[in-house]
Amino acid sequence: MTLVNTEPIVREVVCKTILNRSSIGDYSLNCYTGCTHRCVYCYARFMQRFHPHDEPWGAFVDVKVNAVETLKRQLRRANPGEVFLSSACDGWQADRG
């Protein structure tokens, strides 16, 4: 599939959780779903199975606008542990400034 040079689709979404149990560390935290970099070697493309989009991976990013509030809520009940940030996204999306 060839990607056309178009602006990526950026959506603001409300997440139910942001801190997730992980086999890599104790937890993972991804502030975005998707990415706008379009790296052909990206290992995180599999995430689209769990978050279906019409656009191909690299052509969209979902911004979790309630991430801070959700994290505060989850931390009240979470056990202490290591957090792997941006395990399936780039935490510095070019279009987010």
Side-chain angles (χ1 to χ4, degrees):
M1 177 185 327
T2 304
L3 290 176
V4 179
N5 281 337
T6 60
E7 291 296 314
I9 305 297
V10 178
R11 296 181 188 89
E12 293 185 347
V13 299
V14 175
C15 62
K16 294 180 183 178
T17 62
I18 193 144
L19 190 66
N20 300 294
R21 288 272 181 203
S22 173
S23 61
I24 297 172
D26 298 310
Y27 302 98
S28 67
L29 188 152
N30 291 289
C31 48
Y32 302 107
T33 299
C35 184
T36 59
H37 296 298
R38 300 179 182 180
C39 301
V40 295
Y41 54 81
C42 180
Y43 67 88
R45 292 175 179 268
F46 77 92
M47 291 298 293
Q48 196 159 4
R49 281 186 286 173
F50 307 108
H51 304 278
H53 286 75
D54 292 334
E55 305 83 22
W57 190 263
F60 69 89
V61 63
D62 293 345
V63 180
K64 299 174 183 177
V65 294
N66 64 326
V68 172
E69 297 83 6
T70 302
L71 180 60
K72 285 179 182 179
R73 177 181 47 80
Q74 285 187 273
L75 286 176
R76 284 187 228 128
R77 297 183 196 152
N79 292 323
E82 294 179 356
V83 179
F84 185 173
L85 295 175
S86 302
S87 63
C89 74
D90 189 324
W92 293 270
Q93 298 290 327
D95 63 322
R96 300 303 297 167

CSV table of all heavy atoms in Angstrom, one decimal, residues 12-73:
chain,number,residue,atom,x,y,z
A,12,GLU,N,-9.2,13.8,18.8
A,12,GLU,CA,-9.2,13.8,20.2
A,12,GLU,C,-10.2,12.8,20.7
A,12,GLU,O,-11.4,12.8,20.3
A,12,GLU,CB,-9.6,15.2,20.7
A,12,GLU,CG,-8.5,16.3,20.3
A,12,GLU,CD,-8.8,17.6,20.9
A,12,GLU,OE1,-10.0,17.8,21.4
A,12,GLU,OE2,-7.9,18.5,20.9
A,13,VAL,N,-9.7,11.9,21.6
A,13,VAL,CA,-10.5,10.8,22.1
A,13,VAL,C,-10.5,10.8,23.6
A,13,VAL,O,-9.5,11.3,24.2
A,13,VAL,CB,-10.1,9.4,21.6
A,13,VAL,CG1,-10.2,9.4,20.1
A,13,VAL,CG2,-8.7,9.1,22.0
A,14,VAL,N,-11.5,10.2,24.2
A,14,VAL,CA,-11.6,10.1,25.7
A,14,VAL,C,-11.2,8.6,26.0
A,14,VAL,O,-11.8,7.7,25.4
A,14,VAL,CB,-13.0,10.4,26.2
A,14,VAL,CG1,-13.1,10.2,27.7
A,14,VAL,CG2,-13.3,11.9,25.9
A,15,CYS,N,-10.2,8.4,26.8
A,15,CYS,CA,-9.8,7.1,27.2
A,15,CYS,C,-10.4,6.6,28.5
A,15,CYS,O,-10.7,7.4,29.4
A,15,CYS,CB,-8.3,6.9,27.2
A,15,CYS,SG,-7.5,8.0,28.5
A,16,LYS,N,-10.7,5.3,28.6
A,16,LYS,CA,-11.2,4.8,29.9
A,16,LYS,C,-10.0,4.4,30.8
A,16,LYS,O,-10.1,4.6,32.0
A,16,LYS,CB,-12.0,3.5,29.6
A,16,LYS,CG,-13.3,3.8,28.9
A,16,LYS,CD,-14.0,2.5,28.6
A,16,LYS,CE,-15.3,2.7,27.8
A,16,LYS,NZ,-16.0,1.5,27.5
A,17,THR,N,-8.9,4.0,30.2
A,17,THR,CA,-7.7,3.7,31.0
A,17,THR,C,-6.5,4.2,30.2
A,17,THR,O,-6.6,4.4,29.0
A,17,THR,CB,-7.5,2.2,31.2
A,17,THR,OG1,-7.4,1.5,30.0
A,17,THR,CG2,-8.7,1.6,32.0
A,18,ILE,N,-5.4,4.5,31.0
A,18,ILE,CA,-4.2,4.9,30.3
A,18,ILE,C,-3.0,4.1,30.8
A,18,ILE,O,-2.0,3.9,30.2
A,18,ILE,CB,-3.9,6.4,30.4
A,18,ILE,CG1,-2.8,6.8,29.4
A,18,ILE,CG2,-3.6,6.8,31.8
A,18,ILE,CD1,-3.0,8.1,28.8
A,19,LEU,N,-3.1,3.6,32.1
A,19,LEU,CA,-2.1,2.8,32.7
A,19,LEU,C,-2.5,1.4,32.6
A,19,LEU,O,-3.5,1.0,33.1
A,19,LEU,CB,-1.9,3.2,34.2
A,19,LEU,CG,-0.7,2.7,34.9
A,19,LEU,CD1,0.6,3.2,34.3
A,19,LEU,CD2,-0.9,3.1,36.4
A,20,ASN,N,-1.7,0.6,31.8
A,20,ASN,CA,-2.0,-0.8,31.6
A,20,ASN,C,-1.0,-1.8,32.1
A,20,ASN,O,0.2,-1.5,32.0
A,20,ASN,CB,-2.2,-1.0,30.1
A,20,ASN,CG,-3.3,-0.1,29.6
A,20,ASN,OD1,-4.5,-0.3,29.9
A,20,ASN,ND2,-3.0,0.9,28.7
A,21,ARG,N,-1.4,-2.9,32.5
A,21,ARG,CA,-0.4,-4.0,32.9
A,21,ARG,C,0.4,-4.3,31.7
A,21,ARG,O,-0.1,-4.4,30.6
A,21,ARG,CB,-1.1,-5.2,33.5
A,21,ARG,CG,-1.8,-5.0,34.8
A,21,ARG,CD,-0.7,-5.3,35.8
A,21,ARG,NE,-1.3,-5.1,37.2
A,21,ARG,CZ,-0.5,-4.9,38.2
A,21,ARG,NH1,0.8,-4.8,38.1
A,21,ARG,NH2,-1.0,-4.8,39.4
A,22,SER,N,1.7,-4.7,31.9
A,22,SER,CA,2.5,-5.0,30.8
A,22,SER,C,3.5,-6.1,31.1
A,22,SER,O,3.9,-6.2,32.3
A,22,SER,CB,3.4,-3.7,30.4
A,22,SER,OG,4.3,-4.0,29.5
A,23,SER,N,3.9,-6.9,30.1
A,23,SER,CA,4.9,-7.9,30.4
A,23,SER,C,6.3,-7.4,30.2
A,23,SER,O,7.2,-8.0,30.6
A,23,SER,CB,4.6,-9.1,29.4
A,23,SER,OG,4.7,-8.6,28.1
A,24,ILE,N,6.4,-6.2,29.7
A,24,ILE,CA,7.7,-5.6,29.5
A,24,ILE,C,8.2,-5.0,30.8
A,24,ILE,O,9.4,-5.1,31.2
A,24,ILE,CB,7.7,-4.5,28.4
A,24,ILE,CG1,7.3,-5.1,27.1
A,24,ILE,CG2,9.0,-3.7,28.3
A,24,ILE,CD1,7.0,-4.1,26.0
A,25,GLY,N,7.3,-4.3,31.5
A,25,GLY,CA,7.6,-3.7,32.8
A,25,GLY,C,6.3,-4.0,33.6
A,25,GLY,O,5.5,-4.8,33.3
A,26,ASP,N,6.1,-3.3,34.7
A,26,ASP,CA,4.9,-3.5,35.5
A,26,ASP,C,3.7,-2.9,34.7
A,26,ASP,O,2.6,-3.5,34.7
A,26,ASP,CB,5.0,-2.8,36.9
A,26,ASP,CG,6.1,-3.5,37.7
A,26,ASP,OD1,6.2,-4.7,37.7
A,26,ASP,OD2,7.0,-2.8,38.2
A,27,TYR,N,3.9,-1.7,34.1
A,27,TYR,CA,2.9,-1.0,33.4
A,27,TYR,C,3.4,-0.4,32.1
A,27,TYR,O,4.6,-0.2,32.0
A,27,TYR,CB,2.3,0.2,34.3
A,27,TYR,CG,1.8,-0.3,35.6
A,27,TYR,CD1,2.6,-0.1,36.8
A,27,TYR,CD2,0.5,-0.7,35.8
A,27,TYR,CE1,2.1,-0.5,38.0
A,27,TYR,CE2,0.0,-1.1,37.0
A,27,TYR,CZ,0.8,-1.0,38.1
A,27,TYR,OH,0.3,-1.3,39.4
A,28,SER,N,2.5,-0.1,31.2
A,28,SER,CA,2.8,0.7,30.1
A,28,SER,C,1.8,1.9,30.0
A,28,SER,O,0.7,1.8,30.5
A,28,SER,CB,2.7,-0.1,28.8
A,28,SER,OG,1.4,-0.5,28.5
A,29,LEU,N,2.2,3.0,29.4
A,29,LEU,CA,1.4,4.2,29.3
A,29,LEU,C,1.7,4.8,27.9
A,29,LEU,O,2.8,5.1,27.6
A,29,LEU,CB,1.7,5.2,30.4
A,29,LEU,CG,0.8,6.4,30.5
A,29,LEU,CD1,0.8,6.9,31.9
A,29,LEU,CD2,1.2,7.5,29.6
A,30,ASN,N,0.6,4.9,27.1
A,30,ASN,CA,0.7,5.4,25.8
A,30,ASN,C,-0.3,6.6,25.7
A,30,ASN,O,-1.5,6.4,25.8
A,30,ASN,CB,0.4,4.4,24.7
A,30,ASN,CG,1.5,3.4,24.6
A,30,ASN,OD1,2.6,3.6,24.2
A,30,ASN,ND2,1.2,2.2,25.1
A,31,CYS,N,0.3,7.8,25.5
A,31,CYS,CA,-0.6,9.0,25.5
A,31,CYS,C,-1.3,9.1,24.1
A,31,CYS,O,-2.2,10.0,24.0
A,31,CYS,CB,0.2,10.2,25.8
A,31,CYS,SG,1.8,10.3,24.9
A,32,TYR,N,-0.9,8.4,23.2
A,32,TYR,CA,-1.5,8.4,21.8
A,32,TYR,C,-1.8,7.0,21.4
A,32,TYR,O,-1.2,6.0,21.8
A,32,TYR,CB,-0.6,9.0,20.8
A,32,TYR,CG,-0.1,10.4,21.1
A,32,TYR,CD1,1.2,10.7,21.5
A,32,TYR,CD2,-0.9,11.5,20.9
A,32,TYR,CE1,1.6,12.0,21.8
A,32,TYR,CE2,-0.5,12.8,21.2
A,32,TYR,CZ,0.8,13.0,21.6
A,32,TYR,OH,1.2,14.3,21.9
A,33,THR,N,-2.7,6.9,20.4
A,33,THR,CA,-2.9,5.7,19.6
A,33,THR,C,-2.6,6.1,18.2
A,33,THR,O,-3.1,7.1,17.7
A,33,THR,CB,-4.3,5.1,19.7
A,33,THR,OG1,-4.6,4.8,21.0
A,33,THR,CG2,-4.4,3.9,18.8
A,34,GLY,N,-1.7,5.4,17.6
A,34,GLY,CA,-1.3,5.8,16.2
A,34,GLY,C,0.0,6.7,16.3
A,34,GLY,O,0.5,7.0,17.3
A,35,CYS,N,0.4,7.1,15.1
A,35,CYS,CA,1.6,7.9,15.0
A,35,CYS,C,1.6,8.5,13.6
A,35,CYS,O,0.9,8.0,12.7
A,35,CYS,CB,2.8,7.0,15.1
A,35,CYS,SG,4.3,7.8,15.1
A,36,THR,N,2.2,9.7,13.5
A,36,THR,CA,2.2,10.4,12.2
A,36,THR,C,3.6,10.3,11.5
A,36,THR,O,3.7,10.8,10.4
A,36,THR,CB,1.9,11.9,12.4
A,36,THR,OG1,2.8,12.4,13.3
A,36,THR,CG2,0.5,12.0,13.0
A,37,HIS,N,4.5,9.5,12.0
A,37,HIS,CA,5.8,9.4,11.4
A,37,HIS,C,5.9,8.5,10.2
A,37,HIS,O,6.8,8.7,9.3
A,37,HIS,CB,6.9,9.0,12.4
A,37,HIS,CG,7.0,10.0,13.5
A,37,HIS,ND1,7.5,11.3,13.3
A,37,HIS,CD2,6.8,9.9,14.9
A,37,HIS,CE1,7.5,11.9,14.5
A,37,HIS,NE2,7.1,11.1,15.4
A,38,ARG,N,5.0,7.5,10.2
A,38,ARG,CA,4.9,6.6,9.0
A,38,ARG,C,6.2,5.8,8.8
A,38,ARG,O,6.6,5.5,7.7
A,38,ARG,CB,4.6,7.3,7.7
A,38,ARG,CG,3.2,8.0,7.8
A,38,ARG,CD,2.9,8.7,6.6
A,38,ARG,NE,1.6,9.4,6.8
A,38,ARG,CZ,1.0,10.1,5.9
A,38,ARG,NH1,1.5,10.3,4.7
A,38,ARG,NH2,-0.2,10.7,6.2
A,39,CYS,N,6.9,5.4,9.9
A,39,CYS,CA,8.1,4.6,9.8
A,39,CYS,C,7.7,3.2,9.2
A,39,CYS,O,6.8,2.5,9.8
A,39,CYS,CB,8.8,4.4,11.1
A,39,CYS,SG,9.2,6.0,11.9
A,40,VAL,N,8.4,2.7,8.2
A,40,VAL,CA,8.1,1.4,7.6
A,40,VAL,C,8.5,0.3,8.5
A,40,VAL,O,8.0,-0.8,8.3
A,40,VAL,CB,8.7,1.3,6.2
A,40,VAL,CG1,8.1,2.3,5.2
A,40,VAL,CG2,10.2,1.4,6.3
A,41,TYR,N,9.4,0.5,9.4
A,41,TYR,CA,9.9,-0.6,10.3
A,41,TYR,C,9.1,-0.6,11.6
A,41,TYR,O,9.5,-1.3,12.5
A,41,TYR,CB,11.4,-0.4,10.5
A,41,TYR,CG,11.7,1.0,11.1
A,41,TYR,CD1,11.6,1.3,12.4
A,41,TYR,CD2,12.2,2.0,10.2
A,41,TYR,CE1,11.9,2.6,12.9
A,41,TYR,CE2,12.5,3.2,10.6
A,41,TYR,CZ,12.3,3.5,12.0
A,41,TYR,OH,12.6,4.8,12.4
A,42,CYS,N,8.1,0.2,11.8
A,42,CYS,CA,7.4,0.3,13.1
A,42,CYS,C,6.9,-1.0,13.6
A,42,CYS,O,6.1,-1.7,12.9
A,42,CYS,CB,6.3,1.3,12.9
A,42,CYS,SG,5.4,1.6,14.5
A,43,TYR,N,7.3,-1.4,14.8
A,43,TYR,CA,6.8,-2.6,15.4
A,43,TYR,C,5.4,-2.4,16.0
A,43,TYR,O,4.7,-3.4,16.4
A,43,TYR,CB,7.7,-3.1,16.5
A,43,TYR,CG,7.8,-2.1,17.7
A,43,TYR,CD1,7.0,-2.3,18.8
A,43,TYR,CD2,8.8,-1.1,17.7
A,43,TYR,CE1,7.0,-1.4,19.9
A,43,TYR,CE2,8.8,-0.3,18.8
A,43,TYR,CZ,8.0,-0.4,19.9
A,43,TYR,OH,8.0,0.4,20.9
A,44,ALA,N,4.9,-1.2,16.2
A,44,ALA,CA,3.6,-0.9,16.9
A,44,ALA,C,2.4,-1.0,15.9
A,44,ALA,O,1.3,-0.8,16.3
A,44,ALA,CB,3.7,0.4,17.6
A,45,ARG,N,2.7,-1.3,14.7
A,45,ARG,CA,1.5,-1.4,13.7
A,45,ARG,C,0.5,-2.3,14.1
A,45,ARG,O,-0.7,-2.2,13.8
A,45,ARG,CB,2.0,-1.8,12.3
A,45,ARG,CG,2.9,-0.7,11.7
A,45,ARG,CD,3.5,-1.2,10.3
A,45,ARG,NE,4.3,-0.2,9.7
A,45,ARG,CZ,3.8,0.6,8.8
A,45,ARG,NH1,2.5,0.6,8.5
A,45,ARG,NH2,4.6,1.5,8.3
A,46,PHE,N,0.8,-3.4,14.9
A,46,PHE,CA,-0.1,-4.3,15.4
A,46,PHE,C,-1.2,-3.7,16.2
A,46,PHE,O,-2.3,-4.3,16.4
A,46,PHE,CB,0.6,-5.4,16.2
A,46,PHE,CG,1.0,-5.0,17.6
A,46,PHE,CD1,0.1,-5.2,18.7
A,46,PHE,CD2,2.2,-4.4,17.8
A,46,PHE,CE1,0.5,-4.8,19.9
A,46,PHE,CE2,2.5,-4.0,19.1
A,46,PHE,CZ,1.7,-4.2,20.2
A,47,MET,N,-1.0,-2.5,16.8
A,47,MET,CA,-2.0,-1.9,17.6
A,47,MET,C,-3.3,-1.6,16.9
A,47,MET,O,-4.3,-1.5,17.5
A,47,MET,CB,-1.4,-0.6,18.2
A,47,MET,CG,-0.3,-0.8,19.2
A,47,MET,SD,-0.9,-1.7,20.7
A,47,MET,CE,-2.0,-0.6,21.4
A,48,GLN,N,-3.2,-1.5,15.6
A,48,GLN,CA,-4.4,-1.2,14.8
A,48,GLN,C,-5.4,-2.3,14.9
A,48,GLN,O,-6.6,-2.1,14.7
A,48,GLN,CB,-4.1,-0.9,13.4
A,48,GLN,CG,-5.2,-0.2,12.7
A,48,GLN,CD,-4.8,0.5,11.4
A,48,GLN,OE1,-3.6,0.5,11.0
A,48,GLN,NE2,-5.7,1.2,10.8
A,49,ARG,N,-5.0,-3.5,15.3
A,49,ARG,CA,-6.0,-4.6,15.5
A,49,ARG,C,-6.9,-4.3,16.6
A,49,ARG,O,-8.0,-4.7,16.6
A,49,ARG,CB,-5.2,-5.9,15.8
A,49,ARG,CG,-4.6,-6.6,14.6
A,49,ARG,CD,-4.1,-7.9,15.1
A,49,ARG,NE,-2.8,-7.7,15.8
A,49,ARG,CZ,-2.1,-8.5,16.4
A,49,ARG,NH1,-2.6,-9.8,16.5
A,49,ARG,NH2,-1.0,-8.2,17.0
A,50,PHE,N,-6.4,-3.6,17.6
A,50,PHE,CA,-7.1,-3.3,18.8
A,50,PHE,C,-7.9,-2.0,18.8
A,50,PHE,O,-8.8,-1.7,19.5
A,50,PHE,CB,-6.2,-3.3,20.1
A,50,PHE,CG,-5.4,-4.5,20.2
A,50,PHE,CD1,-4.1,-4.5,19.9
A,50,PHE,CD2,-6.0,-5.7,20.5
A,50,PHE,CE1,-3.3,-5.7,20.0
A,50,PHE,CE2,-5.3,-6.9,20.6
A,50,PHE,CZ,-3.9,-6.9,20.4
A,51,HIS,N,-7.4,-1.1,17.8
A,51,HIS,CA,-8.0,0.2,17.7
A,51,HIS,C,-8.2,0.4,16.2
A,51,HIS,O,-7.5,1.2,15.5
A,51,HIS,CB,-7.1,1.3,18.2
A,51,HIS,CG,-6.8,1.1,19.7
A,51,HIS,ND1,-7.6,1.5,20.7
A,51,HIS,CD2,-5.7,0.6,20.3
A,51,HIS,CE1,-7.1,1.2,21.8
A,51,HIS,NE2,-5.9,0.6,21.6
A,52,PRO,N,-9.2,-0.2,15.6
A,52,PRO,CA,-9.4,-0.1,14.1
A,52,PRO,C,-9.7,1.3,13.6
A,52,PRO,O,-10.4,2.1,14.2
A,52,PRO,CB,-10.6,-1.0,13.9
A,52,PRO,CG,-10.8,-1.8,15.1
A,52,PRO,CD,-10.2,-1.1,16.2
A,53,HIS,N,-9.1,1.6,12.5
A,53,HIS,CA,-9.3,2.9,11.8
A,53,HIS,C,-9.4,2.6,10.3
A,53,HIS,O,-8.8,1.6,9.8
A,53,HIS,CB,-8.1,3.8,12.0
A,53,HIS,CG,-8.0,4.4,13.4
A,53,HIS,ND1,-7.7,3.7,14.5
A,53,HIS,CD2,-8.3,5.6,13.8
A,53,HIS,CE1,-7.7,4.4,15.6
A,53,HIS,NE2,-8.1,5.6,15.2
A,54,ASP,N,-10.0,3.5,9.6
A,54,ASP,CA,-10.1,3.4,8.1
A,54,ASP,C,-8.7,3.7,7.5
A,54,ASP,O,-8.4,3.2,6.5
A,54,ASP,CB,-11.2,4.3,7.6
A,54,ASP,CG,-12.6,3.8,7.9
A,54,ASP,OD1,-12.8,2.6,8.2
A,54,ASP,OD2,-13.5,4.7,8.0
A,55,GLU,N,-8.0,4.6,8.2
A,55,GLU,CA,-6.7,5.1,7.7
A,55,GLU,C,-5.6,4.0,8.0
A,55,GLU,O,-5.7,3.3,9.0
A,55,GLU,CB,-6.3,6.4,8.3
A,55,GLU,CG,-7.3,7.5,8.2
A,55,GLU,CD,-8.4,7.4,9.2
A,55,GLU,OE1,-8.2,6.8,10.3
A,55,GLU,OE2,-9.4,8.0,9.0
A,56,PRO,N,-4.6,3.9,7.2
A,56,PRO,CA,-3.5,3.0,7.5
A,56,PRO,C,-2.7,3.5,8.6
A,56,PRO,O,-2.7,4.7,8.9
A,56,PRO,CB,-2.7,3.0,6.2
A,56,PRO,CG,-3.0,4.2,5.5
A,56,PRO,CD,-4.4,4.6,5.9
A,57,TRP,N,-1.9,2.7,9.3
A,57,TRP,CA,-1.0,3.1,10.3
A,57,TRP,C,0.0,4.1,9.8
A,57,TRP,O,0.5,4.0,8.7
A,57,TRP,CB,-0.2,1.9,10.9
A,57,TRP,CG,0.5,2.2,12.1
A,57,TRP,CD1,1.8,2.5,12.2
A,57,TRP,CD2,0.0,2.2,13.4
A,57,TRP,NE1,2.2,2.7,13.5
A,57,TRP,CE2,1.1,2.6,14.3
A,57,TRP,CE3,-1.2,2.0,14.0
A,57,TRP,CZ2,0.9,2.7,15.7
A,57,TRP,CZ3,-1.4,2.1,15.4
A,57,TRP,CH2,-0.3,2.4,16.2
A,58,GLY,N,0.2,5.2,10.5
A,58,GLY,CA,1.0,6.2,10.1
A,58,GLY,C,0.2,7.4,9.5
A,58,GLY,O,0.8,8.5,9.3
A,59,ALA,N,-1.1,7.2,9.3
A,59,ALA,CA,-1.9,8.3,8.7
A,59,ALA,C,-2.9,8.9,9.7
A,59,ALA,O,-3.7,9.7,9.4
A,59,ALA,CB,-2.6,7.8,7.5
A,60,PHE,N,-2.8,8.4,11.0
A,60,PHE,CA,-3.7,8.9,12.0
A,60,PHE,C,-3.0,8.9,13.4
A,60,PHE,O,-2.0,8.2,13.6
A,60,PHE,CB,-4.9,8.1,12.1
A,60,PHE,CG,-4.7,6.7,12.6
A,60,PHE,CD1,-4.8,6.5,14.0
A,60,PHE,CD2,-4.4,5.6,11.8
A,60,PHE,CE1,-4.6,5.2,14.5
A,60,PHE,CE2,-4.2,4.4,12.3
A,60,PHE,CZ,-4.3,4.1,13.7
A,61,VAL,N,-3.5,9.7,14.2
A,61,VAL,CA,-3.1,9.7,15.7
A,61,VAL,C,-4.3,10.1,16.5
A,61,VAL,O,-5.0,11.1,16.1
A,61,VAL,CB,-1.9,10.6,15.9
A,61,VAL,CG1,-2.2,12.1,15.7
A,61,VAL,CG2,-1.4,10.4,17.4
A,62,ASP,N,-4.6,9.4,17.5
A,62,ASP,CA,-5.6,9.7,18.5
A,62,ASP,C,-5.0,10.2,19.7
A,62,ASP,O,-4.1,9.6,20.3
A,62,ASP,CB,-6.5,8.4,18.9
A,62,ASP,CG,-7.2,7.9,17.7
A,62,ASP,OD1,-7.4,8.6,16.7
A,62,ASP,OD2,-7.7,6.7,17.8
A,63,VAL,N,-5.4,11.4,20.1
A,63,VAL,CA,-4.8,12.1,21.3
A,63,VAL,C,-5.8,11.8,22.4
A,63,VAL,O,-7.0,12.2,22.4
A,63,VAL,CB,-4.7,13.6,21.0
A,63,VAL,CG1,-4.2,14.3,22.3
A,63,VAL,CG2,-3.9,13.9,19.8
A,64,LYS,N,-5.3,11.3,23.5
A,64,LYS,CA,-6.1,10.9,24.7
A,64,LYS,C,-6.2,12.2,25.6
A,64,LYS,O,-5.3,12.4,26.4
A,64,LYS,CB,-5.5,9.7,25.4
A,64,LYS,CG,-5.4,8.5,24.5
A,64,LYS,CD,-4.7,7.4,25.2
A,64,LYS,CE,-4.6,6.2,24.2
A,64,LYS,NZ,-3.9,5.1,24.8
A,65,VAL,N,-7.3,12.9,25.3
A,65,VAL,CA,-7.4,14.3,25.9
A,65,VAL,C,-7.6,14.2,27.4
A,65,VAL,O,-7.3,15.2,28.1
A,65,VAL,CB,-8.5,15.1,25.3
A,65,VAL,CG1,-8.1,15.4,23.8
A,65,VAL,CG2,-9.8,14.4,25.3
A,66,ASN,N,-8.1,13.1,28.0
A,66,ASN,CA,-8.3,13.0,29.4
A,66,ASN,C,-7.2,12.2,30.1
A,66,ASN,O,-7.5,11.6,31.2
A,66,ASN,CB,-9.7,12.5,29.7
A,66,ASN,CG,-9.8,11.1,29.2
A,66,ASN,OD1,-9.3,10.7,28.2
A,66,ASN,ND2,-10.6,10.3,29.9
A,67,ALA,N,-6.1,12.1,29.5
A,67,ALA,CA,-5.0,11.2,30.0
A,67,ALA,C,-4.6,11.6,31.5
A,67,ALA,O,-4.5,10.7,32.3
A,67,ALA,CB,-3.8,11.3,29.1
A,68,VAL,N,-4.5,12.8,31.8
A,68,VAL,CA,-4.0,13.2,33.1
A,68,VAL,C,-5.1,12.8,34.2
A,68,VAL,O,-4.7,12.2,35.2
A,68,VAL,CB,-3.7,14.7,33.2
A,68,VAL,CG1,-3.5,15.2,34.6
A,68,VAL,CG2,-2.6,15.1,32.3
A,69,GLU,N,-6.3,13.1,33.9
A,69,GLU,CA,-7.4,12.8,34.9
A,69,GLU,C,-7.5,11.3,35.0
A,69,GLU,O,-7.7,10.8,36.1
A,69,GLU,CB,-8.7,13.4,34.4
A,69,GLU,CG,-8.7,14.9,34.4
A,69,GLU,CD,-8.2,15.5,33.1
A,69,GLU,OE1,-7.8,14.7,32.1
A,69,GLU,OE2,-8.0,16.7,33.0
A,70,THR,N,-7.4,10.5,33.9
A,70,THR,CA,-7.5,9.1,34.0
A,70,THR,C,-6.4,8.5,34.8
A,70,THR,O,-6.6,7.6,35.6
A,70,THR,CB,-7.6,8.5,32.5
A,70,THR,OG1,-8.7,9.1,31.8
A,70,THR,CG2,-7.7,7.0,32.5
A,71,LEU,N,-5.2,9.0,34.5
A,71,LEU,CA,-4.0,8.5,35.3
A,71,LEU,C,-4.1,8.8,36.8
A,71,LEU,O,-3.9,7.9,37.6
A,71,LEU,CB,-2.7,9.1,34.7
A,71,LEU,CG,-1.4,8.7,35.4
A,71,LEU,CD1,-1.2,7.2,35.3
A,71,LEU,CD2,-0.2,9.5,34.8
A,72,LYS,N,-4.6,9.9,37.1
A,72,LYS,CA,-4.8,10.3,38.6
A,72,LYS,C,-5.7,9.3,39.2
A,72,LYS,O,-5.5,8.8,40.3
A,72,LYS,CB,-5.3,11.7,38.7
A,72,LYS,CG,-4.3,12.7,38.5
A,72,LYS,CD,-4.9,14.1,38.7
A,72,LYS,CE,-3.9,15.2,38.4
A,72,LYS,NZ,-4.5,16.6,38.6
A,73,ARG,N,-6.8,9.0,38.5
A,73,ARG,CA,-7.8,8.0,39.0
A,73,ARG,C,-7.2,6.6,39.2
A,73,ARG,O,-7.4,6.0,40.2
A,73,ARG,CB,-9.0,8.0,38.1
A,73,ARG,CG,-10.1,7.0,38.5
A,73,ARG,CD,-11.3,7.0,37.6
A,73,ARG,NE,-11.0,6.9,36.2
A,73,ARG,CZ,-10.6,5.8,35.5
A,73,ARG,NH1,-10.5,4.6,36.1
A,73,ARG,NH2,-10.4,5.8,34.2
